[in-house]
Amino acid sequence: MSIGVENMSLLHPWFLMGIPLVWILFFVKRKNIFQTQFTWSKNAVNINKTRAILAKWIDIFIPLALSFLFIALARPLLFYNEEKVKADGIDIILAMDISASMLTQDFRPDRLTVAKQIAKDFVSNRAYDRIGVVIFAGESFTQCPLTTTHDIVNGYINEIRPGILEDGTAIGMGLATSLNALKNSTSKSRIIILLTDGENNAGSISPMTAAEMATSMGVKVYTIAMGKTGIFQSPVSIGRNGEYIFAPRKLELDPSLLVDIAEKTTGKFYKAESENELKAIYDEIDQLEKTKVEINVFRRQSEHFRPFVLAGLFFLLLYFVIRFLFLKRYLQ
């Protein structure tokens, strides 16, 4: 549910006509507004500077008080639009390859950095969906379980880096772990977006076995092959300091397995060779998997005359306190 201020109006706006009249009377005939004529007493010679200023301007509290009371009589109203949202959310798992090859520099600065940023943008746009993150290399791990708190999801995506899992590309394991993250989901629609830049070469579960499991669970898998074919700077080993050593490598990718997984699960296969292409892929998936949202708008109003009444009474009280207590000795 969300509430937003639509507009403000006055129930009896004609009362505002009294405000300029009050101020005109004040400036034209300030000392006679309430048939009150103040004259200095014989003690006036002893009056200090502060009391002199108060005595001169004490009458200004009367038009101030009346102005606030006229506003209160005009009955200020605030109108609100209250939205009640009913959403049939989609449960989404982002399965991301974090093998060392994802540091290849055919994307700037590298494949993984670009994949993470675009994935975060995708997460931020899915306001009503539960989203989780699975990472895989030579093994797989649930980085973030399904949640609607998307700041948490993006926080976990920020922490993704190569080297936290054994190296390799276990696509079947990544897919199986993603399905395990969805096993308790009661959502009518469940999807996996699996992104990788390599061919399956590790893991104890074959990718097609995992795809058959997805089909039996009614889970749709969108597969993305990320990377260009050619020679690029890519990790070849790890130095003694634990940092990756880069060298030119010829890289190729056979996407046939990813095509089969997508077809098996009634999903779709994509190839991304640039940052713009990858963004367009996520945008298309965002359009294909639209969350059903029902929004009912109710309008309500709220009275706001009380603060103006209190302000008016405050200035009236201030006038009488100053007039009959603070200045009583000096005015007659």
Side-chain angles (χ1 to χ4, degrees):
M1 182 180 71
S2 62
I3 298 176
V5 177
E6 178 69 18
N7 54 49
M8 185 174 187
S9 67
L10 300 171
L11 191 61
H12 305 306
W14 51 86
F15 276 107
L16 296 183
M17 297 173 62
I19 296 176
L21 180 61
V22 165
W23 285 99
I24 289 171
L25 289 173
F26 171 73
F27 285 111
V28 172
K29 206 172 182 180
R30 181 165 60 88
K31 292 184 178 293
N32 295 320
I33 294 177
F34 291 91
Q35 292 77 46
T36 301
Q37 180 69 43
F38 295 155
T39 58
W40 294 109
S41 71
K42 61 182 179 180
N43 295 320
V45 291
N46 297 319
I47 194 169
N48 62 33
K49 186 176 181 180
T50 301
R51 287 191 172 97
I53 294 173
L54 285 174
K56 183 177 180 181
W57 291 101
I58 185 175
D59 288 340
I60 201 170
F61 295 126
I62 298 298
L64 274 175
L66 291 175
S67 295
F68 282 113
L69 292 175
F70 276 125
I71 295 174
L73 288 171
R75 299 278 295 279
L77 299 175
L78 278 180
F79 292 95
Y80 295 88
N81 278 347
E82 181 176 315
E83 295 182 350
K84 292 187 177 180
V85 180
K86 179 182 178 182
D88 292 329
I90 299 172
D91 283 352
I92 303 171
I93 293 293
L94 303 178
M96 302 183 67
D97 185 348
I98 64 164
S99 58
S101 62
M102 286 292 290
L103 294 177
T104 299
Q105 296 173 1
D106 52 345
F107 287 68
R108 290 289 178 264
D110 55 65
R111 293 173 179 176
L112 186 59
T113 301
V114 171
K116 286 165 57 176
Q117 183 56 56
I118 294 177
K120 288 191 296 181
D121 293 341
F122 175 81
V123 169
S124 298
N125 289 333
R126 307 292 299 194
Y128 303 106
D129 302 316
R130 293 200 307 166
I131 301 177
V133 180
V134 167
I135 55 176
F136 66 93
E139 52 190 346
S140 59
F141 176 74
T142 300
Q143 177 82 346
C144 176
L146 288 168
T147 178
T148 55
T149 309
H150 294 162
D151 287 344
I152 292 178
V153 178
N154 283 338
Y156 277 111
I157 292 175
N158 278 332
E159 295 175 3
I160 293 174
R161 67 185 189 282
I164 58 180
L165 296 176
E166 179 185 343
D167 204 23
T169 306
I171 295 175
M173 294 292 291
L175 187 51
T177 302
S178 300
L179 292 170
N180 187 60
L182 289 169
K183 68 179 181 181
N184 294 322
S185 169
T186 57
S187 175
K188 294 180 181 179
S189 183
R190 297 172 293 172
I191 69 170
I192 296 171
I193 303 174
L194 188 147
L195 181 146
T196 182
D197 70 343
E199 299 174 14
N200 187 71
N201 59 20
S204 57
I205 300 176
S206 75
M208 291 312 298
T209 298
E212 290 174 2
M213 294 166 55
T215 301
S216 65
M217 291 175 60
V219 175
K220 188 185 301 183
V221 182
Y222 292 95
T223 57
I224 303 173
M226 183 178 185
K228 300 176 183 178
T229 298
I231 299 175
F232 304 99
Q233 289 287 329
S234 186
V236 293
S237 62
I238 299 177
R240 292 182 179 180
N241 59 1
E243 295 184 358
Y244 287 98
I245 298 173
F246 289 76
R249 289 177 57 197
K250 184 176 181 180
L251 300 173
E252 296 180 351
L253 175 61
D254 179 5
S256 57
L257 175 61
L258 298 180
V259 173
D260 292 341
I261 292 172
E263 290 180 351
K264 181 73 173 177
T265 62
T266 67
K268 188 173 180 179
F269 165 77
Y270 297 94
K271 181 78 166 69
E273 294 187 343
S274 70
E275 180 174 347
N276 287 337
E277 286 183 359
L278 184 60
K279 185 179 186 305
I281 289 167
Y282 275 96
D283 288 343
E284 181 175 323
I285 295 173
D286 183 52
Q287 293 300 313
L288 290 173
E289 298 293 337
K290 297 300 282 185
T291 301
K292 182 180 178 182
V293 180
E294 180 182 336
I295 300 177
N296 295 316
V297 180
F298 304 91
R299 202 175 199 212
R300 64 186 181 89
Q301 66 183 38
S302 176
E303 295 257 13
H304 283 268
F305 66 88
R306 292 178 182 83
F308 297 101
V309 171
L310 293 175
L313 294 177
F314 169 77
F315 282 111
L316 280 177
L317 179 63
L318 192 61
Y319 168 81
F320 287 111
V321 168
I322 294 174
R323 169 68 180 81
F324 294 106
L325 293 181
F326 195 60
L327 298 178
K328 185 177 181 182
R329 294 173 54 200
Y330 305 101
L331 297 173
Q332 62 182 20

